[in-house]
Amino acid sequence: MSRYAYVNGRFVPHGEAMVHVEDRGFQFADGVYEVVTIIGGKLVDERGHLDRLARSLGELRIAWPVAPHVLKLLMRRLIAQNRVRQGTIYLQVTRGVAPRDFKFPKHSDSTLVMTTKRATSFATPEQLENGVKVISIPDIRWLRRDIKSVALLPQVLGKQRAVEAGAFEAWQLDPEGNVTEGCSSNAWIVTETGTLVTRCANNLILNGVTRLSIIRLAKEAGIPFEERAFSLEEAYRAREAFVSSASTFVMPVTRIDDHTVGNGRPGSFGERLRQAYLDYASGEGAS
Ligand code: PLP
């Protein structure tokens, strides 16, 4: 962790950064968050993350803690203060501090907390060389997964199951046996016939900012693409699979449960898209 955190108007040493015990984020998970990648000291896809933050706040009727243009300045100041060239910035906004009561408080100022994390790399050479394993688990989450809520207990349990199974991620399944998404990533396959597929973005998944960039890059590259649900069975038979998120970009998946994906090696579509995303993230996508 970096040296400073931002808490409600102050840049404080990380170890002394605190929120109130009656913060609604702590009491009710009444808050939202974003994780933005930093490359070369710049923010990647900042616009997409701030647009999604605006949407999450709007859906929950939580007020902006500061104006968006001020937030942009504060993020940059924290990154500079912590001298992060490569890594991530985490920001959380909650409905603020109020005596514990379910209904919205009449008066509360939204809480804003930000921390940064340095990363020497976003994937290990081994992960890129061999791909990673995912397991499948039932999706036990609420039906507003489009909101980037801090209520992440199902994902905590899912990730723990993945770790215990020696896997990188857990793909969650809806009652029809279709993959919704990973616990902290979107899920993609390339079908046997060479079409890139990811689930359409509605209330059942989080519309990844990376997902949106990858869709645009795939279209620009002329890759056949379909936005639709796919079953676990179809994923087992896929030619390729990968996950996407702000901190993994495009991560090849070569094993799903006990099935080998394709020939067991990271596929060419995923590699092309990872490179295209990296070029974008360190070029026009950075600000
Ligand atoms: N889906 C879920 C449930 C997530 O938690 C995340 C990221 O944390 C994603 C998808 C990927 O979103 P993004 O590409 O914006 O990081």
Side-chain angles (χ1 to χ4, degrees):
M1 260 314 154
S2 303
R3 294 178 306 158
Y4 292 97
Y6 173 92
V7 186
N8 286 332
R10 294 172 58 223
F11 293 87
V12 286
H14 189 267
E16 294 164 26
M18 308 279 167
V19 290
H20 196 280
V21 289
E22 285 200 303
D23 192 282
R24 290 180 64 95
F26 180 64
Q27 295 283 356
F28 297 114
D30 189 0
V32 299
Y33 74 107
E34 282 295 329
V35 178
V36 188
T37 297
I38 303 160
I39 294 182
K42 292 184 171 176
L43 292 157
V44 177
D45 260 334
E46 180 187 32
R47 173 86 189 270
H49 287 283
L50 290 188
D51 284 352
R52 187 173 62 190
L53 178 64
R55 188 171 178 283
S56 296
L57 291 172
E59 291 297 305
L60 298 180
R61 294 196 275 152
I62 296 176
W64 280 87
V66 291
H69 72 275
V70 176
L71 181 59
K72 286 181 173 187
L73 294 175
L74 293 172
M75 287 163 82
R76 282 170 178 76
R77 181 156 160 209
L78 187 66
I79 291 166
Q81 211 157 324
N82 286 333
R83 298 200 200 102
V84 186
R85 300 293 300 164
Q86 183 167 284
T88 50
I89 181 163
Y90 172 86
L91 52 127
Q92 179 175 148
V93 181
T94 78
R95 205 181 301 276
V97 176
R100 190 177 182 282
D101 187 359
F102 285 87
K103 65 182 184 295
F104 295 176
K106 280 216 171 62
H107 307 288
S108 68
D109 293 328
S110 301
T111 294
L112 172 61
V113 169
M114 293 194 285
T115 52
T116 62
K117 203 156 73 174
R118 287 188 188 159
T120 43
S121 72
F122 292 101
T124 66
E126 214 239 313
Q127 287 171 331
L128 295 180
E129 177 72 18
N130 300 328
V132 297
K133 174 179 170 174
V134 302
I135 57 166
S136 59
I137 59 170
D139 199 329
I140 59 169
R141 296 175 299 163
W142 72 332
L143 296 176
R144 289 306 308 274
R145 302 162 193 164
D146 52 312
I147 298 170
K148 201 164 167 64
S149 147
V150 294
L152 292 170
L153 205 42
Q155 286 98 315
V156 168
L157 298 177
K159 284 278 189 186
Q160 184 59 27
R161 270 184 70 178
V163 167
E164 288 170 8
F168 177 78
E169 176 62 297
W171 278 6
Q172 302 168 100
L173 302 179
D174 68 17
E176 286 74 46
N178 293 321
V179 175
T180 52
E181 60 185 332
C183 291
S184 64
S185 58
N186 289 114
W188 303 71
I189 57 167
V190 177
T191 64
E192 289 167 295
T193 52
T195 300
L196 179 69
V197 180
T198 197
R199 192 166 177 133
C200 52
N202 53 20
N203 62 310
L204 298 181
I205 67 162
L206 183 76
N207 194 359
V209 173
T210 322
R211 172 189 180 279
L212 287 170
S213 289
I214 292 170
I215 290 174
R216 189 174 40 73
L217 294 167
K219 285 182 179 164
E220 280 168 20
I223 291 174
F225 170 66
E226 278 175 20
E227 215 172 352
R228 62 163 171 84
F230 60 87
S231 68
L232 184 62
E233 292 302 321
E234 188 178 9
Y236 287 160
R237 292 194 312 271
R239 193 195 276 186
E240 280 183 43
F242 60 86
V243 296
S244 69
S245 73
S247 51
T248 58
F249 310 149
V250 174
M251 176 72 83
V253 171
T254 46
R255 240 180 135 64
I256 305 172
D257 297 325
D258 290 328
H259 296 254
T260 299
V261 179
N263 63 6
R265 315 290 316 159
S268 61
F269 279 41
E271 280 176 357
R272 257 172 86 188
L273 288 167
R274 183 178 175 85
Q275 194 50 54
Y277 185 78
L278 278 171
D279 292 345
Y280 162 75
S282 46
E284 49 166 324
S287 58

